[in-house]
Amino acid sequence: MVALTVANVARSVQRGRAPQATTRGARFVSLVAAVAMLAAASTACGRREASRPARTSAAAAAALTPITGAGVKDLIAARRGRVVLVNVWATWCDPCREEFPDLLRVRRELAPQGLDVVLICADFASQLPQAREFLARSGVDFPTYFKTEKDEEFINALEPRWSGALPMTLLVARDGHRAGFWEGKASYQTFAAKIRPLLVPQN
Amino acid sequence: MVLTFVTATSMLALTLGDSAPAAAVKMKNLDGRELAISDMAGRNGTLVIFSCNHCPYVKAWEARIAAVGNGCQGKGIGVIMINSNDPVAYPEDSFEVMQQRAKERGFAFPYVVDATSDVARAFGATRTPEVFLFDGAGKLVYHGVVDDNAEHADKVEKHYLQDALGALVAGKTPAVQETKAIGCSIKFRPKA
């Protein structure tokens, strides 16, 4: 049971998503999963990493994975059945940093009901150390991504309505349809109001 | 509601063939003169650049913008760069910093203050830098970015703006007329 759960967690982590409980009332499983995930993380980091301050291990967990626009679409497709909130941000973008806590709050509160939050950093490659530092400081301990493709291809692949201004947030419903699009900063209330109706359990 | 707003904004954005809106609105130039877009119109065309001082994408492109803008002299293409950002929100976008920046970068064209941000609103401009190029008849023939690589000038493969300007001078329609890039959102002043 535990071994299976660990395997599931490992796969989930590999796919860059939070592990899901497959049955109702699976809190215990979730707890085991969380413990397993922590164990896996500390094993991955090694003993020396584990003994470092929390900030460093958060930075390690918040590793940025390269992604293209097509990659984002694949990632969304692979999460069919979940509600997905995709946010493109950059460290130099003040409104992005301002809305970041709201995005994390949305994830914290609504992930258990079926929401995945996909954060994509659009910083220049030379700024990635600052991006990692920001993620760590914000307490991001889940996998996030950074854009490796040229802007135009990336923008058009993600959302043709997007002019390129940051931040940009895209909401994808369980059936894959685009349920929301924000160019510019939005708030927890705005995101949550749009997301909650999409999380109603499907029959 | 936000979706509606975005849609409304998109509807306001200029499309190819449109004339420059708010072309007669006077804006304060670095030398204190009041200039309008129409004052800068050239016989072969007019280049309108929405920019600012603080944005890293602007900074990355600034030397190339200066080179392209300065290169328009003698080609019958007028150039005007507009800062629509609210310096209250972003002190680096103040008039004084505009003056410093123009000096450092050697802008040989006007850099003016859109004091209400309404010129940017009229264009449907959303980010910095964002360029609009009008032909000699005043019709929009190119809208978008400077080139395809903000980060690395030496790795640019497509010189969109330069190519569009070349086409205009040659009396042709640019091969690529609309492009996009990531950029800083324009920090609009609150509406009066």
PDB file of all heavy atoms in Angstrom, chain A residues 31-61:
ATOM      1  N   LEU A  31      -1.903  11.778   3.591  1.00  0.00           N
ATOM      2  CA  LEU A  31      -0.906  12.021   4.623  1.00  0.00           C
ATOM      3  C   LEU A  31       0.332  11.179   4.339  1.00  0.00           C
ATOM      4  O   LEU A  31       1.460  11.670   4.350  1.00  0.00           O
ATOM      5  CB  LEU A  31      -1.502  11.673   6.002  1.00  0.00           C
ATOM      6  CG  LEU A  31      -0.613  12.042   7.189  1.00  0.00           C
ATOM      7  CD1 LEU A  31      -0.502  13.556   7.290  1.00  0.00           C
ATOM      8  CD2 LEU A  31      -1.187  11.478   8.480  1.00  0.00           C
ATOM      9  N   VAL A  32       0.073   9.891   4.037  1.00  0.00           N
ATOM     10  CA  VAL A  32       1.184   8.987   3.714  1.00  0.00           C
ATOM     11  C   VAL A  32       1.935   9.533   2.504  1.00  0.00           C
ATOM     12  O   VAL A  32       3.160   9.579   2.487  1.00  0.00           O
ATOM     13  CB  VAL A  32       0.655   7.550   3.438  1.00  0.00           C
ATOM     14  CG1 VAL A  32       1.783   6.679   2.878  1.00  0.00           C
ATOM     15  CG2 VAL A  32       0.099   6.946   4.713  1.00  0.00           C
ATOM     16  N   ALA A  33       1.160  10.007   1.541  1.00  0.00           N
ATOM     17  CA  ALA A  33       1.764  10.540   0.320  1.00  0.00           C
ATOM     18  C   ALA A  33       2.651  11.728   0.648  1.00  0.00           C
ATOM     19  O   ALA A  33       3.779  11.832   0.163  1.00  0.00           O
ATOM     20  CB  ALA A  33       0.674  10.956  -0.658  1.00  0.00           C
ATOM     21  N   ALA A  34       2.136  12.591   1.516  1.00  0.00           N
ATOM     22  CA  ALA A  34       2.902  13.784   1.875  1.00  0.00           C
ATOM     23  C   ALA A  34       4.204  13.396   2.568  1.00  0.00           C
ATOM     24  O   ALA A  34       5.269  13.925   2.266  1.00  0.00           O
ATOM     25  CB  ALA A  34       2.066  14.684   2.778  1.00  0.00           C
ATOM     26  N   VAL A  35       4.079  12.432   3.492  1.00  0.00           N
ATOM     27  CA  VAL A  35       5.269  11.975   4.218  1.00  0.00           C
ATOM     28  C   VAL A  35       6.254  11.348   3.230  1.00  0.00           C
ATOM     29  O   VAL A  35       7.451  11.636   3.247  1.00  0.00           O
ATOM     30  CB  VAL A  35       4.880  10.961   5.329  1.00  0.00           C
ATOM     31  CG1 VAL A  35       6.122  10.307   5.920  1.00  0.00           C
ATOM     32  CG2 VAL A  35       4.079  11.673   6.413  1.00  0.00           C
ATOM     33  N   ALA A  36       5.702  10.536   2.315  1.00  0.00           N
ATOM     34  CA  ALA A  36       6.548   9.863   1.330  1.00  0.00           C
ATOM     35  C   ALA A  36       7.260  10.894   0.450  1.00  0.00           C
ATOM     36  O   ALA A  36       8.437  10.750   0.130  1.00  0.00           O
ATOM     37  CB  ALA A  36       5.703   8.933   0.477  1.00  0.00           C
ATOM     38  N   MET A  37       6.498  11.941   0.109  1.00  0.00           N
ATOM     39  CA  MET A  37       7.052  12.977  -0.758  1.00  0.00           C
ATOM     40  C   MET A  37       8.216  13.684  -0.068  1.00  0.00           C
ATOM     41  O   MET A  37       9.268  13.922  -0.647  1.00  0.00           O
ATOM     42  CB  MET A  37       5.958  13.992  -1.046  1.00  0.00           C
ATOM     43  CG  MET A  37       6.103  14.672  -2.368  1.00  0.00           C
ATOM     44  SD  MET A  37       4.595  15.584  -2.655  1.00  0.00           S
ATOM     45  CE  MET A  37       5.179  16.661  -3.915  1.00  0.00           C
ATOM     46  N   LEU A  38       7.983  13.976   1.230  1.00  0.00           N
ATOM     47  CA  LEU A  38       9.039  14.617   2.008  1.00  0.00           C
ATOM     48  C   LEU A  38      10.261  13.726   2.064  1.00  0.00           C
ATOM     49  O   LEU A  38      11.393  14.169   1.888  1.00  0.00           O
ATOM     50  CB  LEU A  38       8.540  14.893   3.437  1.00  0.00           C
ATOM     51  CG  LEU A  38       7.770  16.190   3.624  1.00  0.00           C
ATOM     52  CD1 LEU A  38       7.246  16.264   5.051  1.00  0.00           C
ATOM     53  CD2 LEU A  38       8.671  17.389   3.339  1.00  0.00           C
ATOM     54  N   ALA A  39      10.007  12.420   2.299  1.00  0.00           N
ATOM     55  CA  ALA A  39      11.095  11.453   2.392  1.00  0.00           C
ATOM     56  C   ALA A  39      11.844  11.409   1.064  1.00  0.00           C
ATOM     57  O   ALA A  39      13.076  11.459   1.027  1.00  0.00           O
ATOM     58  CB  ALA A  39      10.540  10.076   2.738  1.00  0.00           C
ATOM     59  N   ALA A  40      11.063  11.364  -0.035  1.00  0.00           N
ATOM     60  CA  ALA A  40      11.670  11.306  -1.364  1.00  0.00           C
ATOM     61  C   ALA A  40      12.499  12.558  -1.613  1.00  0.00           C
ATOM     62  O   ALA A  40      13.625  12.489  -2.105  1.00  0.00           O
ATOM     63  CB  ALA A  40      10.580  11.176  -2.429  1.00  0.00           C
ATOM     64  N   ALA A  41      11.948  13.699  -1.183  1.00  0.00           N
ATOM     65  CA  ALA A  41      12.651  14.962  -1.405  1.00  0.00           C
ATOM     66  C   ALA A  41      13.963  14.991  -0.634  1.00  0.00           C
ATOM     67  O   ALA A  41      15.002  15.360  -1.164  1.00  0.00           O
ATOM     68  CB  ALA A  41      11.768  16.130  -0.978  1.00  0.00           C
ATOM     69  N   SER A  42      13.908  14.537   0.625  1.00  0.00           N
ATOM     70  CA  SER A  42      15.136  14.614   1.412  1.00  0.00           C
ATOM     71  C   SER A  42      16.156  13.605   0.895  1.00  0.00           C
ATOM     72  O   SER A  42      17.359  13.863   0.935  1.00  0.00           O
ATOM     73  CB  SER A  42      14.848  14.411   2.896  1.00  0.00           C
ATOM     74  OG  SER A  42      14.362  13.125   3.123  1.00  0.00           O
ATOM     75  N   THR A  43      15.675  12.469   0.374  1.00  0.00           N
ATOM     76  CA  THR A  43      16.604  11.494  -0.196  1.00  0.00           C
ATOM     77  C   THR A  43      17.262  12.101  -1.429  1.00  0.00           C
ATOM     78  O   THR A  43      18.473  12.029  -1.598  1.00  0.00           O
ATOM     79  CB  THR A  43      15.850  10.202  -0.604  1.00  0.00           C
ATOM     80  OG1 THR A  43      15.132   9.765   0.526  1.00  0.00           O
ATOM     81  CG2 THR A  43      16.821   9.125  -1.054  1.00  0.00           C
ATOM     82  N   ALA A  44      16.422  12.736  -2.228  1.00  0.00           N
ATOM     83  CA  ALA A  44      16.931  13.331  -3.470  1.00  0.00           C
ATOM     84  C   ALA A  44      17.970  14.410  -3.157  1.00  0.00           C
ATOM     85  O   ALA A  44      18.963  14.555  -3.853  1.00  0.00           O
ATOM     86  CB  ALA A  44      15.789  13.922  -4.268  1.00  0.00           C
ATOM     87  N   CYS A  45      17.724  15.153  -2.101  1.00  0.00           N
ATOM     88  CA  CYS A  45      18.619  16.253  -1.778  1.00  0.00           C
ATOM     89  C   CYS A  45      19.880  15.763  -1.077  1.00  0.00           C
ATOM     90  O   CYS A  45      20.875  16.463  -1.036  1.00  0.00           O
ATOM     91  CB  CYS A  45      17.922  17.265  -0.857  1.00  0.00           C
ATOM     92  SG  CYS A  45      16.561  18.082  -1.660  1.00  0.00           S
ATOM     93  N   GLY A  46      19.782  14.576  -0.496  1.00  0.00           N
ATOM     94  CA  GLY A  46      20.932  14.067   0.235  1.00  0.00           C
ATOM     95  C   GLY A  46      20.944  14.600   1.653  1.00  0.00           C
ATOM     96  O   GLY A  46      20.234  15.552   1.973  1.00  0.00           O
ATOM     97  N   ARG A  47      21.760  13.962   2.504  1.00  0.00           N
ATOM     98  CA  ARG A  47      21.747  14.345   3.924  1.00  0.00           C
ATOM     99  C   ARG A  47      22.222  15.770   4.139  1.00  0.00           C
ATOM    100  O   ARG A  47      21.700  16.482   4.960  1.00  0.00           O
ATOM    101  CB  ARG A  47      22.618  13.374   4.715  1.00  0.00           C
ATOM    102  CG  ARG A  47      21.859  12.108   5.037  1.00  0.00           C
ATOM    103  CD  ARG A  47      22.698  11.182   5.856  1.00  0.00           C
ATOM    104  NE  ARG A  47      22.102   9.856   5.862  1.00  0.00           N
ATOM    105  CZ  ARG A  47      22.724   8.792   6.285  1.00  0.00           C
ATOM    106  NH1 ARG A  47      23.960   8.883   6.700  1.00  0.00           N
ATOM    107  NH2 ARG A  47      22.129   7.627   6.261  1.00  0.00           N
ATOM    108  N   ARG A  48      23.225  16.147   3.407  1.00  0.00           N
ATOM    109  CA  ARG A  48      23.769  17.500   3.627  1.00  0.00           C
ATOM    110  C   ARG A  48      22.728  18.563   3.320  1.00  0.00           C
ATOM    111  O   ARG A  48      22.574  19.516   4.060  1.00  0.00           O
ATOM    112  CB  ARG A  48      25.000  17.715   2.748  1.00  0.00           C
ATOM    113  CG  ARG A  48      26.224  17.005   3.310  1.00  0.00           C
ATOM    114  CD  ARG A  48      27.427  17.221   2.421  1.00  0.00           C
ATOM    115  NE  ARG A  48      27.752  18.619   2.297  1.00  0.00           N
ATOM    116  CZ  ARG A  48      28.562  19.083   1.341  1.00  0.00           C
ATOM    117  NH1 ARG A  48      29.082  18.270   0.461  1.00  0.00           N
ATOM    118  NH2 ARG A  48      28.825  20.364   1.270  1.00  0.00           N
ATOM    119  N   GLU A  49      21.998  18.360   2.201  1.00  0.00           N
ATOM    120  CA  GLU A  49      20.945  19.314   1.832  1.00  0.00           C
ATOM    121  C   GLU A  49      19.888  19.375   2.918  1.00  0.00           C
ATOM    122  O   GLU A  49      19.432  20.441   3.290  1.00  0.00           O
ATOM    123  CB  GLU A  49      20.286  18.905   0.509  1.00  0.00           C
ATOM    124  CG  GLU A  49      21.159  19.139  -0.699  1.00  0.00           C
ATOM    125  CD  GLU A  49      21.280  20.597  -1.069  1.00  0.00           C
ATOM    126  OE1 GLU A  49      20.390  21.372  -0.694  1.00  0.00           O
ATOM    127  OE2 GLU A  49      22.282  20.964  -1.716  1.00  0.00           O
ATOM    128  N   ALA A  50      19.518  18.169   3.408  1.00  0.00           N
ATOM    129  CA  ALA A  50      18.429  18.092   4.382  1.00  0.00           C
ATOM    130  C   ALA A  50      18.768  18.854   5.656  1.00  0.00           C
ATOM    131  O   ALA A  50      17.885  19.374   6.314  1.00  0.00           O
ATOM    132  CB  ALA A  50      18.125  16.636   4.699  1.00  0.00           C
ATOM    133  N   SER A  51      20.050  18.943   5.960  1.00  0.00           N
ATOM    134  CA  SER A  51      20.419  19.610   7.197  1.00  0.00           C
ATOM    135  C   SER A  51      20.544  21.129   7.006  1.00  0.00           C
ATOM    136  O   SER A  51      20.743  21.859   7.953  1.00  0.00           O
ATOM    137  CB  SER A  51      21.737  19.038   7.724  1.00  0.00           C
ATOM    138  OG  SER A  51      22.761  19.326   6.789  1.00  0.00           O
ATOM    139  N   ARG A  52      20.427  21.585   5.758  1.00  0.00           N
ATOM    140  CA  ARG A  52      20.514  23.034   5.517  1.00  0.00           C
ATOM    141  C   ARG A  52      19.211  23.724   5.918  1.00  0.00           C
ATOM    142  O   ARG A  52      18.203  23.063   6.107  1.00  0.00           O
ATOM    143  CB  ARG A  52      20.787  23.302   4.035  1.00  0.00           C
ATOM    144  CG  ARG A  52      22.238  23.024   3.679  1.00  0.00           C
ATOM    145  CD  ARG A  52      22.491  23.432   2.259  1.00  0.00           C
ATOM    146  NE  ARG A  52      23.797  22.989   1.826  1.00  0.00           N
ATOM    147  CZ  ARG A  52      24.234  23.132   0.591  1.00  0.00           C
ATOM    148  NH1 ARG A  52      23.470  23.692  -0.318  1.00  0.00           N
ATOM    149  NH2 ARG A  52      25.430  22.706   0.254  1.00  0.00           N
ATOM    150  N   PRO A  53      19.230  25.055   5.997  1.00  0.00           N
ATOM    151  CA  PRO A  53      17.995  25.760   6.366  1.00  0.00           C
ATOM    152  C   PRO A  53      16.866  25.490   5.361  1.00  0.00           C
ATOM    153  O   PRO A  53      17.134  25.169   4.201  1.00  0.00           O
ATOM    154  CB  PRO A  53      18.409  27.233   6.327  1.00  0.00           C
ATOM    155  CG  PRO A  53      19.895  27.248   6.359  1.00  0.00           C
ATOM    156  CD  PRO A  53      20.347  25.955   5.794  1.00  0.00           C
ATOM    157  N   ALA A  54      15.643  25.676   5.842  1.00  0.00           N
ATOM    158  CA  ALA A  54      14.452  25.390   5.040  1.00  0.00           C
ATOM    159  C   ALA A  54      14.475  26.121   3.698  1.00  0.00           C
ATOM    160  O   ALA A  54      14.060  25.599   2.690  1.00  0.00           O
ATOM    161  CB  ALA A  54      13.200  25.783   5.816  1.00  0.00           C
ATOM    162  N   ARG A  55      14.989  27.353   3.714  1.00  0.00           N
ATOM    163  CA  ARG A  55      14.984  28.184   2.514  1.00  0.00           C
ATOM    164  C   ARG A  55      15.725  27.496   1.372  1.00  0.00           C
ATOM    165  O   ARG A  55      15.276  27.500   0.239  1.00  0.00           O
ATOM    166  CB  ARG A  55      15.647  29.512   2.854  1.00  0.00           C
ATOM    167  CG  ARG A  55      15.538  30.523   1.785  1.00  0.00           C
ATOM    168  CD  ARG A  55      15.809  31.863   2.388  1.00  0.00           C
ATOM    169  NE  ARG A  55      16.674  32.617   1.525  1.00  0.00           N
ATOM    170  CZ  ARG A  55      16.867  33.921   1.641  1.00  0.00           C
ATOM    171  NH1 ARG A  55      16.264  34.580   2.591  1.00  0.00           N
ATOM    172  NH2 ARG A  55      17.662  34.550   0.826  1.00  0.00           N
ATOM    173  N   THR A  56      16.848  26.862   1.699  1.00  0.00           N
ATOM    174  CA  THR A  56      17.645  26.199   0.679  1.00  0.00           C
ATOM    175  C   THR A  56      16.908  24.998   0.118  1.00  0.00           C
ATOM    176  O   THR A  56      16.878  24.787  -1.093  1.00  0.00           O
ATOM    177  CB  THR A  56      19.005  25.763   1.258  1.00  0.00           C
ATOM    178  OG1 THR A  56      19.571  26.876   1.904  1.00  0.00           O
ATOM    179  CG2 THR A  56      19.917  25.281   0.167  1.00  0.00           C
ATOM    180  N   SER A  57      16.267  24.200   1.018  1.00  0.00           N
ATOM    181  CA  SER A  57      15.583  23.019   0.502  1.00  0.00           C
ATOM    182  C   SER A  57      14.362  23.424  -0.320  1.00  0.00           C
ATOM    183  O   SER A  57      14.014  22.760  -1.291  1.00  0.00           O
ATOM    184  CB  SER A  57      15.215  22.061   1.625  1.00  0.00           C
ATOM    185  OG  SER A  57      14.461  22.737   2.598  1.00  0.00           O
ATOM    186  N   ALA A  58      13.734  24.556   0.045  1.00  0.00           N
ATOM    187  CA  ALA A  58      12.610  25.044  -0.771  1.00  0.00           C
ATOM    188  C   ALA A  58      13.120  25.422  -2.155  1.00  0.00           C
ATOM    189  O   ALA A  58      12.500  25.124  -3.166  1.00  0.00           O
ATOM    190  CB  ALA A  58      11.951  26.248  -0.111  1.00  0.00           C
ATOM    191  N   ALA A  59      14.318  26.035  -2.196  1.00  0.00           N
ATOM    192  CA  ALA A  59      14.900  26.430  -3.484  1.00  0.00           C
ATOM    193  C   ALA A  59      15.173  25.198  -4.333  1.00  0.00           C
ATOM    194  O   ALA A  59      14.918  25.188  -5.535  1.00  0.00           O
ATOM    195  CB  ALA A  59      16.184  27.214  -3.262  1.00  0.00           C
ATOM    196  N   ALA A  60      15.644  24.129  -3.666  1.00  0.00           N
ATOM    197  CA  ALA A  60      15.931  22.909  -4.405  1.00  0.00           C
ATOM    198  C   ALA A  60      14.640  22.319  -4.950  1.00  0.00           C
ATOM    199  O   ALA A  60      14.580  21.871  -6.093  1.00  0.00           O
ATOM    200  CB  ALA A  60      16.620  21.915  -3.488  1.00  0.00           C
ATOM    201  N   ALA A  61      13.585  22.341  -4.106  1.00  0.00           N
ATOM    202  CA  ALA A  61      12.304  21.773  -4.536  1.00  0.00           C
ATOM    203  C   ALA A  61      11.701  22.608  -5.667  1.00  0.00           C
ATOM    204  O   ALA A  61      11.022  22.089  -6.537  1.00  0.00           O
ATOM    205  CB  ALA A  61      11.342  21.726  -3.365  1.00  0.00           C
TER     206      ALA A  61
END
